[in-house]
């Protein structure tokens, strides 16, 4: 009786084994014929027999399933995820075959990702870039692209996960860049070393060189921190900055990123404190001076605001926003004058005071005009500067300039 049971079980296992091989062969033929739906159907049948499969059959199953899901590049985003998972389940076989399929996948996915990016479909581009990394994990740049494009469409939770993965990998984004100048266009072009050397040898390019690209670490940490801020997790945001500053205490970009986090959190005193530290490290940076001017102005510290704006203009005579803010600073003194004028009575003393205030107000306008004129010289499409000038010319009775500026404002509004 025992012998009969053993014979029966052996027979049963043999049937399962035959069924597995049949379904796997059917799937294999279907994939070769690009009939991926049929392949998936056959593999679905084989999956029911998974518990009885030997290691070799399991490896083949996962290999075929990966191909079926990828579908020659036509699989959905979810199918691509599953295809990569399936390939990663293969053990002890098909290493070279999977490497070749993944190479094809990477190229195909990158092409789609670049097309989506060019079309400004950043969500699709981000997912393609992530898939490209999953198929070629030595290319961490793809993971960086995935995170950066996810931020563009405010997919913050997903972007955060990708950025955290980049941090765990120790990604800096620093790369060796080869370049040469195109003799015909006069423009510098970046390319791989072999192509550059061929172009230089052929004479089409000159002035070859090599350099290291800037680190993206500061940008990554900044984005991680800003995502935490957007989620209301300010403590984690500051913790992220603290860790980054500990690694690179002299990195001014990290210092500015930390300042921006404090600004977004409403910690303006801390923002100013950090900017002052940054200003000492980089005293010739006009943007730092300008931002200190903004904070001083918001704190009603007009004298310091004026000092910082003037310093920004001194460092960069074309810093248009500094001119605009200087004009705004001058004109901010108008409101108390108007309030006092409106509160005066009809006595001789009041009439005298009214004329004094009126003259003082006219002088404010005259003081603001040069800053606004300069702003328009730098940026002739700055409609805010044009409108303010138009109104000033109207109030001061400068009819000729008022007409000129009115025409300019109308032209800008019509664009």
């Amino acid at each position: 009786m025992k012998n009969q049971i053993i014979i029966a079980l052996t027979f049963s296992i043999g049937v399962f084994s035959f069924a597995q091989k049949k379904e796997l062969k059917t799937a294999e033929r279907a994939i070769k014929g690009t009939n991926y739906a049929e392949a998936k159907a056959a593999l679905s049948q084989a999956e029911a027999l998974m518990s009885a499969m030997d290691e070799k059959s399991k490896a083949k199953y996962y290999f075929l399933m990966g191909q079926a899901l990828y579908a020659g590049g036509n699989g959905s985003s979810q199918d691509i995820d599953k295809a990569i998972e399936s390939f990663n389940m293969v053990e002890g076989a098909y290493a070279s075959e999977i490497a070749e399929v993944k190479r094809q996948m990477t190229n195909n996915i990158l092409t789609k990702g670049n097309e989506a990016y060019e079309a400004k479909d950043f969500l699709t581009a981000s997912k393609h870039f992530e898939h490209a990394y999953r198929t070629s994990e030595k290319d961490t740049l793809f993971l960086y692209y995935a995170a950066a494009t996810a931020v563009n469409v405010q997919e913050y939770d997903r972007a955060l996960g990708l950025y955290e993965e980049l941090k765990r990998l120790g990604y800096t984004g620093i790369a060796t860049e080869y370049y040469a100048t195109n003799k015909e266009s006069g423009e510098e072009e970046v390319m791989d070393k072999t192509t550059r050397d061929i172009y230089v040898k052929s004479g089409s390019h000159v002035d070859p060189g090599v350099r290291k690209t800037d680190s993206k670490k500061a940008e990554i940490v900044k984005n991680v921190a800003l995502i935490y801020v957007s989620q209301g997790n300010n403590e984690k945001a500051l913790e992220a900055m603290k860790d980054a500053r500990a690694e690179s205490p002299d990195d001014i970009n990290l210092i500015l990123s930390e300042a921006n986090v404090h600004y977004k959190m409403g910690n303006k005193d801390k923002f100013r404190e950090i900017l002052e530290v940054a200003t000492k490290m980089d005293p010739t940076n006009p943007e730092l001076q300008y931002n200190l001017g903004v904070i001083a102005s918001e704190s009603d510290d007009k004298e310091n605001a004026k000092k910082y704006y003037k310093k920004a203009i001194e460092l960069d005579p074309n810093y248009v926003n500094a001119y605009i803010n200087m004009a705004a600073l001058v004109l901010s003194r108008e409101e108390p004058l108007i309030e006092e004028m409106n509160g005066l009575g009809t006595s001789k003393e009041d009439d005298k005071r009214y004329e004094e205030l009126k003259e003082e107000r006219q002088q404010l306008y005259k003081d603001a005009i040069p800053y606004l004129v300069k702003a328009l010289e730098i940026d002739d499409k700055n409609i805010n500067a044009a409108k303010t000038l138009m109104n000033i010319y109207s109030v001061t009775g400068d009819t000729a300039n008022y007409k000129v500026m009115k025409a300019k404002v109308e032209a800008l509004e019509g664009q």
Side-chain angles (χ1 to χ4, degrees):
M1 189 66 173
K2 289 181 180 178
N3 288 339
Q4 290 177 342
I5 292 173
I6 292 171
I7 292 169
L9 286 173
T10 305
F11 177 73
S12 177
I13 291 170
V15 170
F16 278 128
S17 177
F18 176 76
Q20 292 163 10
K21 291 177 180 177
K22 179 184 175 185
E23 299 300 348
L24 293 177
K25 283 182 179 179
T26 299
E28 192 170 24
R29 283 196 303 270
I31 288 168
K32 286 179 180 177
T34 68
N35 191 338
Y36 300 108
E38 182 184 335
K40 282 191 275 189
L43 290 166
S44 179
Q45 293 292 322
E47 186 179 13
L49 310 172
M50 181 73 76
S51 61
M53 283 188 191
D54 58 25
E55 292 306 312
K56 185 177 178 181
S57 296
K58 284 181 181 178
K60 187 170 187 177
Y61 166 82
Y62 287 122
F63 173 57
L64 294 173
M65 180 59 84
Q67 291 182 85
L69 289 165
Y70 174 56
N74 295 313
S76 68
S77 180
Q78 293 81 3
D79 281 345
I80 298 294
D81 283 332
K82 292 176 183 176
I84 295 167
E85 285 178 20
S86 194
F87 284 136
N88 291 339
M89 292 288 287
V90 178
E91 295 181 0
Y94 303 104
S96 60
E97 291 89 342
I98 289 174
E100 175 58 24
V101 174
K102 281 189 173 182
R103 187 190 65 78
Q104 293 172 11
M105 289 176 76
T106 303
N107 292 338
N108 179 271
I109 291 166
L110 272 182
T111 298
K112 290 181 177 179
N114 288 328
E115 288 172 352
Y117 186 86
E118 291 295 325
K120 300 189 184 306
D121 182 359
F122 298 122
L123 178 58
T124 300
S126 178
K127 290 180 178 177
H128 282 316
F129 291 143
E130 183 181 357
H131 285 148
Y133 168 70
R134 302 299 173 202
T135 57
S136 182
E137 293 191 342
K138 68 180 185 298
D139 294 310
T140 45
L141 180 63
F142 302 154
L143 189 61
Y144 166 76
Y145 286 154
T149 44
V151 169
N152 282 350
V153 289
Q154 299 182 4
E155 261 210 335
Y156 293 139
D157 288 344
R158 181 166 162 271
L160 184 60
L162 298 174
Y163 277 132
E164 292 290 4
E165 187 172 353
L166 284 166
K167 285 173 63 180
R168 288 194 298 274
L169 292 169
Y171 176 80
T172 64
I174 298 173
T176 302
E177 202 170 63
Y178 298 92
Y179 61 90
T181 301
N182 186 311
K183 285 175 70 174
E184 187 176 339
S185 68
E187 294 183 0
E188 184 181 281
E189 296 176 356
V190 176
M191 61 202 86
D192 64 83
K193 184 179 185 301
T194 303
T195 302
R196 184 205 62 179
D197 291 347
I198 291 172
Y199 284 173
V200 171
K201 190 173 182 179
S202 70
S204 66
H205 289 65
V206 294
D207 300 329
V210 60
R211 63 192 168 213
K212 293 288 186 182
T213 60
D214 293 335
S215 171
K216 293 183 171 61
K217 191 170 186 179
E219 178 196 334
I220 290 170
V221 171
K222 178 191 74 174
N223 285 344
V224 167
L226 292 178
I227 289 171
Y228 280 133
V229 170
S230 73
Q231 295 174 337
N233 199 335
N234 296 332
E235 294 305 316
K236 279 201 171 183
L238 294 177
E239 186 181 332
M241 285 298 174
K242 183 180 177 182
D243 290 344
R245 287 280 302 277
E247 287 187 26
S248 307
D250 298 326
D251 188 326
I252 190 137
N253 289 321
L254 284 176
I255 293 171
L256 293 177
S257 294
E258 183 178 355
N260 285 330
V261 169
H262 280 290
Y263 186 80
K264 285 183 176 291
M265 291 169 60
N267 301 336
K268 292 184 180 178
D269 288 342
K270 189 66 177 178
F271 175 71
R272 180 172 57 225
E273 177 188 323
I274 295 173
L275 279 187
E276 286 171 350
V277 170
T279 301
K280 290 175 183 175
M281 293 175 64
D282 189 2
T284 61
N285 188 325
E287 188 173 354
L288 294 177
Q289 301 291 338
Y290 171 77
N291 282 321
L292 282 168
V294 171
I295 289 299
S297 181
E298 289 180 353
S299 303
D300 204 30
D301 184 357
K302 291 182 170 57
E303 286 306 310
N304 271 322
K306 183 178 179 180
K307 180 187 76 173
Y308 289 129
Y309 289 144
K310 282 192 169 182
K311 184 64 176 177
I313 291 169
E314 179 187 322
L315 293 169
D316 180 2
N318 291 320
Y319 203 129
V320 65
N321 286 339
Y323 290 104
I324 296 288
N325 281 21
M326 275 294 289
L329 197 63
V330 171
L331 295 173
S332 69
R333 289 156 48 199
E334 180 186 22
E335 189 174 342
L337 298 181
I338 294 173
E339 286 180 5
E340 186 178 350
M341 289 168 77
N342 289 336
L344 292 171
T346 56
S347 68
K348 286 184 179 180
E349 290 79 7
D350 285 343
D351 288 345
K352 182 182 177 183
R353 179 58 180 159
Y354 185 89
E355 289 303 317
E356 289 173 352
L357 292 170
K358 181 181 177 182
E359 187 176 334
E360 193 174 338
R361 187 183 177 200
Q362 292 288 315
Q363 188 59 48
L364 289 183
Y365 293 142
K366 291 175 184 176
D367 291 343
I369 285 172
Y371 295 115
L372 294 167
V373 169
K374 184 63 178 179
L376 274 176
E377 285 178 8
I378 299 166
D379 177 10
D380 64 357
K381 290 182 170 51
N382 194 310
I383 193 164
N384 290 328
K387 280 184 174 180
T388 305
L389 266 178
M390 180 184 73
N391 292 331
I392 287 175
Y393 289 139
S394 175
V395 173
T396 57
D398 189 341
T399 306
N401 277 322
Y402 167 75
K403 288 180 178 178
V404 171
M405 204 51 54
K406 184 173 183 290
K408 184 172 186 62
V409 168
E410 290 171 351
L412 288 172
E413 287 179 333
Q415 289 180 357

